[in-house]
């Protein structure tokens, strides 16, 4: 290209990269030569020269799971808007595999990392081993100096219970996942807080079990045997809620006439396909991914943040409460 334009390689490089010290007529001649030769600049080489490769490393433990994919979609959309590429690595929860990917991505000189969790819970910080910024999404780093973006589980539970109270339900029960999960504990605590603020007592005890339809069916039968006055159930996820609806139908209880149901997660294969479709809390996971990219850009610009930022949820109302 330089030979065709009649300039030195250095001048051709300056023209292609829009450096100011090249005359307008010279730059035009170089660009014509580049077009004639269908020249494409080496983006990686440009990045090495500029100190930025415009690539981000994305680490996840569960690429095929419920939470990672929408977060990754939101992050990828935000990165593509800035003409940045994303290098995705699924560590599958394996520390050796994770360390291998970190070394590989650092060798590619990525500008930063987004670490995607699968449970909104605490995970070990990677930042002490990284020479570039990192943002944690849908997980909480053990290092308070890191920035962690999580879904607001307490806020989501508030939305669900306040919705049921607004529908004049007064005997509200809660069926959720394992007590060992932070998300289950936070939502259960929020349920008690909202009910107490309205001078209401929960219908029965909080029932902890699996995040599954099977547990939803078992828990619904147990609940109605011990608290038959129940007129609403807030479930810890949509799988549980779907199982609860199935059990109520078998027990001759109508949804929502006799018992209103609210799920959590807005997972279409359970929420939209349930009969009746579930009112549920949407975690806004794509927005979580978009926010992670925005915070990473701020860190790259020299303005890093730290601590835990809670992403608001939203209530999606369908026929299980309408």
């Amino acid at each position: 290209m330089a030979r065709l334009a009649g300039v030195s390689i250095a001048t051709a490089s300056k023209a292609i990269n829009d450096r100011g010290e090249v005359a307008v007529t010279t730059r035009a001649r170089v660009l014509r030569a580049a077009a004639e030769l269908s020249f494409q600049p080496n983006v990686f080489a440009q990045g090495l020269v500029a100190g930025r490769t415009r690539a981000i490393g994305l680490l996840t433990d569960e690429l095929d799971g419920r939470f990672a994919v929408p977060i990754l979609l939101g992050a990828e959309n935000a990165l593509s808007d800035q003409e940045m590429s994303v290098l995705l690595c699924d560590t599958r929860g394996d520390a050796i595999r994770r360390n291998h990917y970190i070394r590989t991505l650092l060798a590619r000189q990525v500008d930063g990392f987004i670490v995607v969790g699968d449970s909104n819970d605490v995970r070990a910080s990677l930042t002490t081993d990284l020479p570039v910024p990192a943002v944690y999404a849908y997980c909480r780093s053990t290092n308070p100096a890191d920035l962690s973006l999580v879904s607001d589980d307490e806020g989501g539970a508030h939305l669900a219970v306040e919705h049921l109270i607004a529908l004049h339900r007064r005997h509200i029960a809660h069926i959720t996942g394992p007590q060992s999960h932070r998300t289950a504990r936070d939502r259960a605590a929020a349920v008690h807080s909202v009910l107490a603020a309205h001078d209401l007592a929960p219908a029965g005890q909080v029932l902890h079990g699996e995040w599954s339809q099977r547990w939803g069916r078992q828990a619904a039968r147990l609940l109605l045997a011990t608290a038959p006055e129940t007129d609403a159930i807030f479930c810890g996820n949509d799988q549980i809620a779907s199982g609860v609806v199935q059990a109520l139908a078998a027990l001759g209880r109508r949804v929502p006439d006799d018992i209103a149901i609210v799920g959590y997660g807005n997972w279409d294969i359970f929420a939209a396909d349930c009969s009746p479709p579930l009112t549920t809390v949407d975690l806004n996971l794509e927005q979580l991914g978009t926010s992670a990219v925005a915070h990473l850009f701020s860190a790259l610009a020299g303005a890093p943040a730290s601590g835990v930022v809670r992403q608001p949820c939203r209530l999606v109302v369908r026929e299980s409460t309408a």
Side-chain angles (χ1 to χ4, degrees):
M1 178 185 65
R3 185 181 302 112
L4 180 61
V7 298
S8 67
I9 293 176
T11 298
S13 176
K14 292 176 182 178
I16 287 294
N17 290 290
D18 201 21
R19 300 275 290 276
E21 56 265 36
V22 179
V24 174
T25 54
T26 302
R27 176 175 290 109
R29 193 163 70 250
V30 171
L31 294 178
R32 282 197 300 271
E36 184 177 336
L37 296 173
S38 299
F39 172 78
Q40 293 292 328
N42 187 319
V43 176
F44 184 67
Q46 286 180 325
L48 294 178
V49 172
R52 291 278 180 88
T53 57
R54 301 193 63 79
I56 298 298
L58 243 161
L59 297 174
T60 178
D61 284 340
E62 53 109 45
L63 183 58
D64 60 346
R66 162 70 181 95
F67 304 103
V69 172
I71 295 173
L72 298 177
L73 288 174
E76 196 278 332
N77 286 338
L79 289 168
S80 63
D81 287 345
Q82 299 296 320
E83 297 184 347
M84 296 187 71
S85 57
V86 54
L87 303 176
L88 172 61
C89 297
D90 182 7
T91 68
R92 303 178 192 175
D94 184 272
I96 295 176
R97 192 180 183 92
R98 183 183 306 113
N99 291 334
H100 164 71
Y101 281 135
I102 290 173
R103 290 193 301 269
T104 301
L105 291 169
L106 290 175
R108 296 287 299 272
Q109 299 196 15
V110 294
D111 295 332
F113 284 84
I114 296 176
V115 182
V116 179
D118 62 354
S119 64
N120 223 28
D121 218 326
V122 176
R123 63 170 298 155
S125 173
L126 306 178
T127 311
T128 54
D129 300 322
L130 301 179
V132 294
V135 172
Y136 295 77
Y138 205 64
C139 57
R140 304 169 192 236
S141 168
T142 52
N143 185 351
D146 292 335
L147 179 67
S148 303
L149 304 176
V150 299
S151 174
D152 185 2
D153 281 311
E154 293 179 352
H158 271 78
L159 290 174
V161 179
E162 290 285 4
H163 173 65
L164 291 170
I165 292 172
L167 296 174
H168 307 293
R169 307 293 171 143
R170 294 296 179 264
H171 304 286
I172 301 171
H174 185 41
I175 299 173
T176 190
Q179 196 164 15
S180 59
H181 285 220
R182 175 190 289 269
T183 53
R185 297 195 304 272
D186 287 350
R187 293 169 197 169
V191 170
H192 282 284
S193 175
V194 177
L195 290 176
H198 289 271
D199 295 322
L200 296 174
Q205 299 295 316
V206 174
L207 297 177
H208 289 277
E210 301 173 345
W211 300 109
S212 68
Q213 288 178 291
R214 178 176 58 189
W215 166 239
R217 291 189 293 267
Q218 294 173 350
R221 289 192 290 269
L222 175 61
L223 173 67
L224 293 187
T226 57
E229 74 280 6
T230 298
D231 60 8
I233 304 173
F234 168 43
C235 300
N237 72 358
D238 292 334
Q239 293 100 306
I240 293 173
S242 178
V244 168
V245 170
Q246 293 169 6
L248 293 180
L251 293 169
R253 300 294 186 97
R254 297 169 299 167
V255 176
D257 303 70
D258 300 325
I259 300 178
I261 305 294
V262 177
Y264 205 99
N266 199 23
W267 195 354
D268 277 353
I269 62 173
F270 291 100
D273 288 347
C274 187
S275 181
L278 292 172
T279 292
T280 185
V281 176
D282 192 302
L283 303 178
N284 285 334
L285 293 176
E286 284 200 31
Q287 181 58 46
L288 195 68
T290 301
S291 298
V293 170
H295 282 286
L296 185 59
F297 284 167
S298 295
L300 290 170
S306 61
V308 177
V309 176
R310 290 171 175 80
Q311 170 78 37
C313 302
R314 65 186 179 92
L315 187 70
V316 180
V317 178
R318 298 191 181 96
E319 286 88 334
S320 69
T321 63

